[in-house]
Amino acid sequence: MVCAGPAERPLISGDGKPVEIAKQAAWTKDEHRLAAGDQFRVGSNTKTLTVTLVLQQVAQQKISLDDTVEKWLPGLVKGGEHITVRMQLLNHTSGLGDFLLTPQFLPSLTGQEQRTWKPKELLATTPEQDPPTEPGEKCSYSNANYEALGLILEKATGSSLAEQIEQKITEPLGMKDSFLATDAAWPAGKRHATGYEPDAKRLKALLPGTVDQPEGVGFAGPEHPGDNIDTAAIDPSWSWAAGGIVSTAQDWQRFLTALMSGRLLPEAQMKQMRTTVDAPEEGGAYALGLMKMETPCGTVWGHTGGLPGYASEIYTDATGTRSVAVFTITNFGIKEKKAATTNKALVDAATCHMRGKPQPSDSPTG
């Protein structure tokens, strides 16, 4: 993987034994020998699980998609009286901005500041979209939507998000290597992938021009060859309902298979979950915690995820029969031009193989 450090690429075709490939850059091997079963921070793939929990509550009539955010979280979200749970879920059309790259939050994202953020604090720092949009007007991806959803879930059920994940998803499905991260620690006795990011100089060239990155400030962690930083010790707990799950390729594909085959939700809620709106910023259409992506070999469903040192694209067919996970041990690093081209070629090849089709000859090969 060009400029990316190690990369993990587990693959399941649906009609035979799982195909698992794990490769890494030579300079990372002394620190950790990557394996296909290593635990991995799956980032925003967590959103698919969060929405599953919400729709389970909708099916039980404990939450309505037409409820306002203000009903559940009075005073916490600006304009919450005009934002419904449906808009909070459906393709990020709430009108809320994102706290992720704000000056207040950037030091925590990079690990320069050791702070445990609470969801209410993150909602308080969430800016308006620029330019402002009304609820339902535009799909604009925001982690703040899912911080609010996690709080609604806890209020509706009376139990913590971590408890709900364990009781309703990971334990029933036998996902023994999956949990919601509450700090930077990795479980003792379990293998986990080590993530890397570009140093401050490389990072500045990758961040949007609107981001105020102080000169010389980058990710905190041990330095490695090629101007890379080990980010495995950066606390991801802030991502919570928006991206806090640690899992493995096998575990997550077990979840997607159960979801898409109808084991976790009634038919009515699955129909709601697959209702999409255009999301050009995300490269396809966005449903309720699911992305509908058009690949060179056809339509796939799933999500992407990114945290410091960890990027993932996990997809399945419409029935959950075939699935594929591409894990890359860098997030910002694959935004560099050559790495981005290579990564796209890898994902295209993996999704084509998952669907049992040859990659088109005019598709980039990286």
Side-chain angles (χ1 to χ4, degrees), residues 51 89-92 146 272-277 285-292 301:
V51 171
L89 290 170
L90 182 57
N91 299 308
H92 297 271
Y146 281 75
Q272 291 169 331
M273 194 173 197
R274 295 186 191 187
T275 301
T276 66
V277 295
Y286 202 92
L288 280 70
L290 277 176
M291 293 177 176
K292 183 181 181 183
W301 293 83

Side-chain angles (χ1 to χ4, degrees), residues 7-8 24 26 32 37 45 58 86 93 219 261 270 289-290 326 359:
E8 178 185 341
Q24 64 191 116
H32 176 72
N45 284 283
V58 170
R86 185 185 304 275
T93 58
F219 289 101
S261 65
M270 281 304 303
L290 277 176
V326 178
Q359 189 173 0

Side-chain angles (χ1 to χ4, degrees), residues 257-278:
T257 296
L259 174 65
M260 301 302 284
S261 65
R263 288 175 55 193
L264 297 178
L265 291 172
E267 183 177 349
Q269 276 64 54
M270 281 304 303
K271 183 177 180 180
Q272 291 169 331
M273 194 173 197
R274 295 186 191 187
T275 301
T276 66
V277 295
D278 290 336

Side-chain angles (χ1 to χ4, degrees), residues 52-352:
T52 301
L53 292 173
V54 171
L55 290 177
Q56 287 177 344
Q57 297 304 310
V58 170
Q60 296 174 26
Q61 299 185 338
K62 293 182 178 179
I63 296 176
S64 169
L65 292 181
D66 295 321
D67 287 343
T68 66
V69 175
E70 183 68 14
K71 171 185 174 179
W72 288 102
L73 308 175
L76 278 185
V77 177
K78 185 177 180 180
E81 67 275 16
H82 304 300
I83 302 171
T84 65
V85 172
R86 185 185 304 275
M87 289 180 182
Q88 196 79 21
L89 290 170
L90 182 57
N91 299 308
H92 297 271
T93 58
S94 66
L96 294 176
D98 205 335
F99 56 82
L100 196 62
L101 296 178
T102 60
Q104 304 99 307
F105 186 72
L106 191 59
S108 295
L109 177 67
T110 59
Q112 297 289 344
E113 179 182 63
Q114 302 299 318
R115 175 175 174 179
T116 300
W117 287 84
K118 296 180 179 179
K120 292 181 180 180
E121 294 172 332
L122 291 170
L123 289 173
T125 66
T126 297
E128 292 184 352
Q129 287 183 20
D130 185 19
T133 60
E134 295 296 321
E137 181 180 336
K138 176 186 175 183
C139 173
S140 184
Y141 195 91
S142 172
N143 289 285
N145 293 327
Y146 281 75
E147 298 289 327
L149 280 172
L151 291 173
I152 290 172
L153 266 171
E154 291 194 334
K155 196 163 186 180
T157 63
S159 61
S160 72
L161 179 62
E163 290 172 335
Q164 294 176 64
I165 290 170
E166 182 177 354
Q167 293 169 6
K168 298 181 179 296
I169 306 293
T170 59
E171 190 172 294
L173 296 181
M175 297 168 63
K176 297 180 180 180
D177 291 315
S178 302
F179 63 94
L180 183 68
T182 56
D183 54 34
W186 296 87
K190 297 273 189 178
R191 293 178 52 92
H192 69 267
T194 301
Y196 303 89
E197 289 296 359
D199 67 3
K201 183 178 180 180
R202 288 173 59 204
L203 181 65
K204 193 170 185 66
L206 294 172
L207 289 177
T210 56
V211 177
D212 182 16
Q213 182 194 359
E215 194 66 35
V217 172
F219 289 101
E223 297 180 2
H224 286 269
D227 302 323
N228 291 292
I229 305 296
D230 179 342
T231 59
I234 293 179
D235 187 351
S237 61
W238 59 268
S239 55
W240 198 51
I245 292 288
V246 171
S247 189
T248 64
Q250 186 179 48
D251 266 10
W252 204 257
Q253 290 171 325
R254 185 176 288 120
F255 163 64
L256 278 184
T257 296
L259 174 65
M260 301 302 284
S261 65
R263 288 175 55 193
L264 297 178
L265 291 172
E267 183 177 349
Q269 276 64 54
M270 281 304 303
K271 183 177 180 180
Q272 291 169 331
M273 194 173 197
R274 295 186 191 187
T275 301
T276 66
V277 295
D278 290 336
E281 293 180 0
E282 304 307 315
Y286 202 92
L288 280 70
L290 277 176
M291 293 177 176
K292 183 181 181 183
M293 306 292 288
E294 297 302 328
T295 76
C297 293
T299 303
V300 296
W301 293 83
H303 213 288
T304 60
L307 284 172
Y310 302 90
S312 53
E313 297 193 46
I314 310 177
Y315 301 115
T316 180
D317 61 16
T319 63
T321 303
R322 298 182 175 204
S323 57
V324 62
V326 178
F327 288 174
T328 307
I329 315 303
T330 185
N331 184 26
F332 289 89
I334 55 172
K335 301 182 189 307
E336 293 177 312
K337 186 175 180 180
K338 190 174 182 180
T341 300
T342 301
N343 188 67
K344 184 180 187 308
L346 169 63
V347 174
D348 285 350
T351 52
C352 285

